């Protein structure tokens, strides 16, 4: 009995070790294992439209290269508000860490994407600020001037002119500790600064450094008793954001002085300090600490409205019980100068964000906040009522900054399609399609086609609502030479896959019982009505893109297959031989009852009316009323 118990315990551990339920997997993109979200909506009707822009990472420093096969899970990702994947940029950036991944509207008339590609593990690449177009192709790859070190991961802030960007800069210098009354001693110091760089030439237009401007006494991390350090040295200010107003002045956030500074664009002097060790220059109705991502929401004359994340804690200290995003109003034209809280958004789980994070005011004035660890994000009404919270299902991953934007992505690569055929004899062959299109937004449904040979006309075999990143579709017959077309909600087709061969099993070892030793592909025109076929040349004309016939797939077969897939998903975590036996049993059961109840009838697909732009069968699927 004891032995049995021990054995079970061991088995359980083995199973737990192999569990990868927290990652997505796709037939069409087998290398991609995107991180899943666990989402809670308090009120979905009031969230802003848009997609989430996140870039999960495992470790903040580049991981060791490994000769082992590595799946794509780190780097820039776009998700919809159901947590479905829209785009993974992990293959494009080879699983490297990416930061500050967002949409920008300052270049031309089209939206662009900006991001920071971190330096690589062996230091052979020092990182870049990158701008992609809506086709996910590189529009600009901007290096940092050689003497400014590696491209810092905190900020790549493309300015309104669309020609320049602000970046944070970390440099090291050896300094005397005279300021701390130890003139005979030297220490290395990490200075925090920023640069404004030209996106076309990568030249630096403006440069600022903290040393000689921010005294050592402002840091909360070192004191006159701290030990001297070799390079890189004391990280005494820790700059983590920079923004610029129309007046040409810069707002910087220093996490280790608990201070926001306004820096003159003319001569670089500190115009004012908000908060900090020595209380700053303002009469404040709040204090804050270890803040991130300070951005101007408005700035004119002496009045500034600023948003930032007050995480209120760091690796060592916690100054208050809960982190918050704040919108504050700063007035520097009065005596005394004043700073007031306009809005506060407390972390919904009541916890502290010790490191990293950001906040973003959305176009409808909702507040979107990233609390960083575990990928925790929230959206609030302008008044601070929480509407949504989500975090990665896997605690292994974090995310520095997250954003929400409406965006239209149109990859130049075609949709990815995989198809395979199974059956036990000529009468019951079915072809399964899987389709996905990495980065394409606004796909409402997919049209599926097959053709008799490479050069024959494609025949429309059916369509299916896009239900997730990847959509599966099952069609009667052995269909070789298949293709799939993406259609938007207005019925416009806007992309088609390459024509793809269908894979088949080893017929003899997989229980093939047919008349011939292996089946030959069907001519789809004999199974599906031909009048719906369209030639590739016609695909540019909208009228021909709408399916003219044959919309319904065999619902009963689809239901059976769905049950099978669900069962498979459920028992996958059990693992091993047991699962295989169970799966086989369920498969046999489904097949037997299906054949018993219904028998096999070859039936032409019938045209069904489209309801709200969706194929009727999908409307059924969504209401769980399949037949
Ligand atoms: C999702 O979150 C809820 C509430 O926070 C939690 O109870 C549940 O276990 C989570 N689910 C997964 C799969 O992590
Ligand atoms: C803005 C804000 O939340 N400030 C708080 C920072 O932490 C101190 C100390 O816990 C609080 O007193 C402030 O209210």
């Amino acid at each position: 009995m004891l032995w049995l118990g021990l054995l079970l315990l061991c088995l359980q551990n083995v199973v737990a070790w192999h569990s990868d339920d927290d990652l997505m997997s796709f037939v069409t993109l087998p290398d991609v294992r995107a991180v899943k979200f666990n989402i809670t909506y308090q009120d979905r009707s009031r969230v802003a439209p848009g997609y989430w822009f996140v870039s999960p990472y495992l470790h903040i420093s580049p991981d060791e290269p490994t000769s082992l096969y590595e799946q794509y899970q780190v780097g820039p990702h776009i998700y919809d508000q159901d947590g479905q994947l829209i785009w993974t940029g992990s293959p494009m950036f080879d699983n490297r860490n990416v930061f500050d991944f967002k949409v920008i509207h300052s270049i031309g008339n089209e939206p662009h994407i900006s991001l920071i590609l971190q330096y690589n593990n062996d230091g052979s690449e020092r990182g870049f600020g990158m701008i992609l177009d809506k086709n996910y192709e590189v529009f600009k790859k901007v290096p940092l001037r050689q003497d400014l070190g590696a491209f810092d991961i905190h900020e790549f802030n493309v300015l309104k002119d669309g020609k320049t960007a602000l970046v944070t800069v970390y440099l090291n210098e050896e300094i005397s500790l005279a300021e701390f009354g130890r003139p005979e001693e030297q220490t290395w110091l990490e200075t925090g600064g920023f640069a404004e760089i030209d996106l076309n030439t990568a030249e630096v237009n403006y440069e600022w450094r903290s040393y000689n401007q921010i005294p050592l006494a402002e840091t909360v991390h070192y004191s006159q008793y701290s030990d001297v350090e070799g390079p890189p040295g004391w990280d005494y200010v820790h700059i983590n954001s920079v923004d610029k107003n129309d007046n040409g002045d810069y707002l910087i956030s220093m996490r280790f002085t608990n201070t926001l500074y306004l820096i003159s664009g003319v001569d670089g002097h500190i115009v004012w300090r908000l908060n900090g060790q020595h209380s700053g220059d303002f009469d404040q109705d709040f204090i804050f600490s270890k803040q991130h991502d300070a951005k101007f929401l408005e700035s004119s004359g002496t009045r500034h409205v600023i948003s930032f994340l007050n995480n209120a804690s760091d690796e060592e200290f916690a100054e208050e019980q809960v982190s918050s995003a704040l919108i504050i109003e700063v007035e520097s034209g009065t005596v005394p100068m004043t700073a007031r809280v306009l809005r506060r958004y407390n972390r919904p789980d009541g916890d502290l964000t010790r490191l990293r994070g950001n906040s973003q005011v959305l176009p409808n004035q909702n507040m979107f906040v990233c609390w960083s660890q575990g990928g925790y994000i929230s959206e609030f009404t302008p008044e601070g009522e929480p509407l949504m919270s989500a975090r990665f299902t896997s605690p292994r991953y974090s995310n520095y900054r997250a954003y929400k934007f409406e965006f239209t992505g149109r990859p130049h690569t075609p949709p990815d399609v995989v198809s395979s055929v199974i059956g036990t004899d000529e009468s019951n062959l079915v072809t399964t399609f899987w389709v996905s299109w990495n980065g394409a937004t606004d796909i409402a449904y997919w049209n599926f086609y097959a053709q008799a040979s490479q050069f024959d006309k494609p025949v429309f075999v059916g369509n299916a609502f896009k239900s997730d990143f990847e959509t599966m579709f099952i069609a009667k017959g052995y269909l070789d030479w298949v293709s799939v077309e993406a259609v938007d909600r207005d019925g416009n087709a806007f992309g088609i896959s390459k024509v793809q061969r269908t894979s088949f099993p080893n017929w003899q070892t997989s229980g093939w019982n047919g008349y011939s030793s292996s089946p030959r592909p069907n001519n789809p025109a004999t199974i599906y009505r031909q009048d719906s076929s369209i030639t590739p040349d016609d695909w540019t004309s909208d009228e021909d893109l709408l399916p003219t016939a044959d919309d319904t797939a065999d619902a009963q077969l689809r239901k059976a297959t769905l049950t099978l897939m669900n069962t498979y998903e459920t028992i996958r975590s059990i693992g091993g031989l047991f699962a295989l036996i169970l799966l086989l049993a369920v498969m046999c059961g489904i097949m037997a009852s299906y054949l018993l109840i219904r028998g096999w009838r070859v039936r032409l697909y019938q045209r069904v009316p489209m309801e709200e732009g969706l194929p009727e069968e999908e409307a059924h699927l969504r209401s769980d009323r399949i037949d």
Side-chain angles (χ1 to χ4, degrees):
M1 202 60 206
L2 180 70
W3 286 111
L4 188 67
L6 277 177
L7 185 70
L8 279 175
L9 208 67
C10 288
L11 273 177
Q12 200 180 4
N13 281 337
V14 168
V15 170
W17 177 256
H18 286 290
S19 169
D20 57 0
D21 286 359
D22 51 358
L23 301 175
M24 299 179 176
S25 60
F26 308 106
V27 176
T28 47
L29 298 179
D31 289 350
V32 169
R33 301 302 310 275
V35 182
K36 286 184 189 169
F37 269 107
N38 184 359
I39 310 167
T40 311
Y41 278 98
Q42 280 80 32
D43 183 354
R44 183 145 187 178
S45 66
R46 284 187 286 164
V47 298
Y51 297 108
W52 302 335
F53 285 69
V54 298
S55 30
Y57 62 83
L58 275 166
H59 304 110
I60 194 86
S61 304
D63 279 314
E64 292 280 327
T66 160
S67 53
L68 296 174
Y69 167 68
E70 195 170 30
Q71 292 162 326
Y72 294 119
Q73 47 202 295
V74 157
H77 288 78
I78 306 175
Y79 290 84
D80 74 8
Q81 301 201 52
D82 293 310
Q84 287 179 9
L85 185 66
I86 298 294
W87 180 63
T88 168
S90 188
M92 177 171 179
F93 296 105
D94 201 20
N95 235 6
R96 273 169 65 183
N97 283 356
V98 158
F99 298 95
D100 209 16
F101 168 52
K102 59 179 177 243
V103 173
I104 53 172
H105 287 281
S106 49
I107 298 176
N109 299 323
E110 300 274 356
H112 286 73
I113 288 170
S114 68
L115 57 88
I116 298 166
L117 177 63
Q118 190 179 27
Y119 58 91
N120 64 358
N121 179 272
D122 64 9
S124 58
E125 261 194 31
R126 299 168 348 119
F128 297 92
M130 302 199 54
I131 298 174
L132 313 182
D133 59 23
K134 67 170 187 177
N135 313 118
Y136 304 97
E137 287 178 359
V138 176
F139 175 69
K140 289 206 190 304
K141 187 172 180 181
V142 190
L144 195 59
R145 202 178 65 200
Q146 191 72 24
D147 62 307
L148 296 183
F151 207 105
D152 185 51
I153 62 168
H154 290 93
E155 188 82 73
F156 181 50
N157 185 351
V158 176
L159 294 173
K160 276 187 232 161
D161 62 8
K163 298 188 179 77
T164 52
L166 296 174
V167 300
T168 44
V169 174
Y170 280 70
L171 289 170
N172 319 102
E173 39 196 308
E174 201 173 12
I175 59 145
S176 152
L177 280 177
E179 200 191 320
F180 272 161
R182 296 151 68 184
E184 68 291 350
E185 287 180 83
Q186 303 258 72
T187 188
W188 278 83
L189 188 76
E190 268 194 288
T191 65
F194 63 90
E196 186 175 305
I197 56 179
D198 186 305
L199 293 175
N200 290 315
T201 63
E203 270 165 30
V204 173
N205 297 338
Y206 186 95
E207 212 181 327
W208 189 90
R209 290 181 196 189
S210 61
Y211 189 58
N212 286 335
Q213 296 265 19
I214 299 180
L216 294 179
E218 284 188 38
T219 183
V220 296
H221 259 230
Y222 298 89
S223 74
Q224 50 191 332
Y225 308 111
S226 297
D227 292 337
V228 300
E229 282 178 17
W234 293 1
D235 182 10
Y236 87 119
V237 287
H238 200 92
I239 188 164
N240 61 19
S241 75
V242 51
D243 199 12
K244 187 180 186 181
N245 64 10
D246 291 341
N247 194 38
D249 297 328
Y250 301 92
L251 176 70
I252 58 175
S253 160
M254 298 295 201
R255 184 158 75 96
F256 288 167
T257 67
N258 293 336
T259 307
L260 304 182
Y261 302 82
L262 189 74
I263 308 295
S264 162
V266 178
D267 60 8
H269 81 276
I270 295 173
V271 181
W272 48 248
R273 288 170 168 79
L274 177 63
N275 207 63
Q277 284 277 72
H278 310 290
S279 311
D281 302 328
F282 289 82
D283 174 56
Q284 295 171 229
D285 67 350
F286 64 104
I287 60 168
F288 60 86
S289 57
K290 317 304 169 8
Q291 74 291 339
H292 286 91
D293 193 32
K295 295 285 153 67
F296 287 116
L297 296 180
E298 291 167 40
S299 179
S300 67
T302 56
R303 181 179 176 271
H304 315 281
V305 178
I306 294 167
S307 70
F308 66 95
L309 188 80
N310 169 25
N311 39 315
S313 65
D314 64 7
E315 302 91 324
E316 293 174 42
F317 309 105
E319 282 86 5
E320 60 181 322
Q321 297 308 309
V322 58
S323 300
S324 54
L326 290 175
I327 298 180
I328 58 163
E329 182 185 45
V330 170
E331 175 56 67
S332 59
T334 53
V335 184
M337 304 196 288
T338 58
R340 302 277 175 257
V341 172
L342 298 182
R343 301 249 189 238
R344 179 191 297 264
Y345 306 86
N346 281 345
R347 204 176 131 134
D349 66 357
D351 213 337
L352 284 166
T353 293
R354 290 193 179 267
L355 298 165
R356 313 177 187 106
N358 73 314
S359 59
Q360 178 197 10
V361 177
L362 301 175
N364 71 350
Q365 301 304 308
N366 277 2
M367 181 61 118
F368 190 73
V369 185
C370 174
W371 310 100
S372 186
Q373 200 175 21
Y376 189 39
I377 51 176
S378 324
E379 185 170 338
F380 299 86
T381 62
E383 296 74 30
E385 196 185 324
L387 300 175
M388 183 283 305
S389 286
R391 57 177 92 225
F392 297 143
T393 307
S394 167
R396 301 197 297 285
Y397 302 86
S398 282
N399 183 46
Y400 191 133
R401 289 179 175 177
Y403 298 90
K404 188 177 191 182
F405 293 100
E406 293 189 78
F407 182 67
T408 302
R410 288 287 175 271
H412 277 151
T413 50
D416 290 294
V417 175
V418 168
S419 59
S420 70
V421 58
I422 63 165
T424 54
D425 62 49
E426 280 84 354
S427 69
N428 64 10
L429 290 161
V430 292
T431 303
T432 308
F433 296 68
W434 290 266
V435 59
S436 68
W437 195 6
N438 191 24
T441 55
D442 316 300
I443 303 166
Y445 62 96
W446 298 102
N447 285 335
F448 297 87
Y449 299 91
Q451 53 203 64
S453 77
Q454 190 175 5
F455 304 106
D456 274 88
K457 280 185 175 181
V459 176
F460 177 73
V461 301
N463 53 20
F465 182 67
K466 178 184 184 277
S467 48
D468 203 337
F469 179 79
E470 181 171 85
T471 301
M472 190 181 80
F473 179 77
I474 296 172
K476 261 182 260 171
Y478 178 177
L479 306 175
D480 206 351
W481 307 105
V482 303
S483 54
V484 185
E485 182 181 49
V487 190
D488 69 17
R489 48 180 305 152
D490 301 322
N492 302 312
F494 62 98
I496 187 144
S497 72
K498 291 177 184 149
V499 176
Q500 201 77 36
R501 300 298 303 267
T502 290
S503 66
F504 49 84
N506 181 329
W507 297 105
Q508 271 60 52
T509 59
S510 58
W512 174 250
N513 261 327
Y515 300 121
S516 53
S517 61
S518 58
R520 300 172 68 88
N522 297 111
N523 179 349
T526 62
I527 309 180
Y528 300 90
R529 290 228 326 256
Q530 273 192 80
D531 58 2
S532 62
S533 66
I534 5 180
T535 61
D537 292 345
D538 294 337
W539 282 337
T540 45
S541 143
D542 273 4
E543 222 168 84
D544 290 328
L545 297 171
L546 289 166
T548 53
D550 307 342
D551 283 353
T552 315
D554 187 329
Q556 204 158 359
L557 180 58
R558 296 191 68 186
K559 183 179 181 179
T561 313
L562 271 178
T563 315
L564 180 63
M565 291 300 285
N566 287 340
T567 314
Y568 174 67
E569 284 297 324
T570 316
I571 62 180
R572 209 160 61 139
S573 51
I574 302 171
L577 189 64
F578 176 60
L580 190 67
I581 293 167
L582 202 63
L583 179 68
L584 284 174
V586 173
M587 253 173 97
C588 292
I590 289 175
M591 266 319 225
S593 54
Y594 176 75
L595 290 175
L596 257 177
I597 296 167
R598 201 171 169 283
W600 181 267
R601 273 184 296 143
V602 176
R603 195 170 49 114
L604 283 181
Y605 283 160
Q606 292 146 14
R607 185 193 169 95
V608 290
M610 304 286 274
E611 178 187 295
E612 287 173 333
L614 300 178
E616 187 174 87
E617 77 211 48
E618 295 304 336
H620 286 177
L621 272 177
R622 289 165 89 201
S623 60
D624 254 329
R625 202 170 51 84
I626 295 184
D627 46 11

